[in-house]
Amino acid sequence: MALLLGCIADDFTGGTDLAGMLVKAGMRTVQMIGVPKAPLPDDIDAVVIALKSRTIAPASAVAESLEALRWLRAEGCRQVYFKYCSTFDSTPRGNIGPVAEALMAALDSCFSIACPAFPANGRTIYKGHLFVGDVPLSESGMSRHPLTPMTDSNLVRVLQAQVKGKVGLVEQSTVAKGEAAIRERYAVLQNEGCNLAVVDAICDADLMDIGAACADLPLVTAGSGIALGLPQNFRRLGLLGDNPIADALPATGGLRAVVAGSCSVATQAQVAVMRAQHPSFKIEPLELARGGDLVSAALAWAALHIEAGPVLIYATDNAESIKDVQAQLGVEKASSLVEKALAAIAIGLVRLGVGKLIVAGGETSGAVVQALGINGLRIGPEIDPGVPWTTAITEVPSDKPLALALKSGNFGTADFFLKAWGKLA
Ligand code: ADP
């Protein structure tokens, strides 16, 4: 089946968030790291291309987004979705406005929406003002963000400062009347010369109606909330099944391992729970700094234990010990020593026959994914909110698929490393 929805996300975790939403809404989805170099599975409905374009120079963000768009169009995708943060992270220079306008121009489209609302996560828009929980965006923690301080809650004003065209507003009183009223308002705004419209949304029903009203737009720009409302459009056209199992992964065999480089409180608890039940091996940063070959030692140790069940290799430690290590080595050196070692261990584990791998830590996951030459992830069943099992997509497809769960720091319950295996077929 042809690709239905092609998404361009301005950062990786935002892309993961969107991919998870699409899978839940019944679309089989892969997330690619940058513009795809590897062939995609042929049975997917949506692709999310994750860029790192949120805070780079606007011209670079535009160029990268256009490259992603070219790839999506070559794949024949029907609709394009530009995904940004639900707190509209940007500055007067961009990058939301310039990227949205460049994508619209490339798609020959003269109108799109801007809607970062995600009511389930406390992001609502009313009369164009974005609220974070109970407070306006400008009174939320985002007003002090180091790179994209959001000091104005009025998204019409914020977006207008970033674009050449005219920005309008679809108010909640219109959204509440449903799809037809929203479409009518789009038409009125276009007649008034608007190219972009901020759309109010305060509940999931609003997102569904906005999504329905966007069926014919070549480009939608939004947070991940609108992903709730788009799959129904493809269903109506008969392009998407009513109840497809969108999170099915190819069967993966092989041995099981956890590699933990996160030191967050949640990961510390998860490591303690797993250590109590399974063999574990600790990577000491000071030993790495002294030149100790802990990679070989860990892999030799793993070879002895891994046939019997899952093993844990971890650098996770408490805040006090980390401070001590960082004081001796410097923060960057400590981090990079540990990341490099854990990435090399991940490669060794896969060579040992690991087919199911959990990685804990955002930066650690990035290092492991890069070391394993992974270009993308097919999104599978969720283990805990925000952490799905995935299978790796590599430039040269492997006959032994690797199942990966990439868990950022504070996600997951204490028994995450124990229960995760049972969620895989
Ligand atoms: P999280 O998602 O919890 O933030 P990350 O992997 O993003 O986890 O970041 C954890 C960082 O801490 C990584 O750079 C990792 O290499 C580093 N690290 C892990 N263990 C230790 C340790 N024992 N001492 C110092 N740094 C460590």
Side-chain angles (χ1 to χ4, degrees), residues 145-157:
H145 190 280
L147 301 173
T148 52
M150 302 302 293
T151 54
D152 187 355
S153 311
N154 183 329
L155 295 187
V156 175
R157 222 159 34 207

Side-chain angles (χ1 to χ4, degrees), residues 384-425:
D384 267 330
V387 199
W389 273 112
T390 68
T391 45
I393 298 170
T394 45
E395 210 155 325
V396 183
S398 158
D399 53 349
K400 282 193 203 139
L402 174 66
L404 263 181
L406 305 175
K407 187 197 82 73
S408 33
N410 268 320
F411 284 54
T413 56
D415 60 349
F416 185 92
F417 299 152
L418 304 182
K419 72 179 178 188
W421 318 109
K423 309 259 174 169
L424 266 181

Side-chain angles (χ1 to χ4, degrees), residues 260-264 267 282-285 314-317 321-323 325-326 331 334-340 342 360-365 407-410:
S262 155
C263 298
S264 69
T267 308
K282 175 136 196 248
I283 300 296
E284 295 287 356
Y314 67 103
T316 309
D317 217 330
S321 309
I322 289 158
K323 242 192 196 160
V325 165
Q326 289 177 338
V331 176
S335 291
S336 83
L337 272 174
V338 172
E339 282 170 30
K340 272 194 197 129
L342 293 181
E363 295 298 325
T364 309
S365 292
K407 187 197 82 73
S408 33
N410 268 320

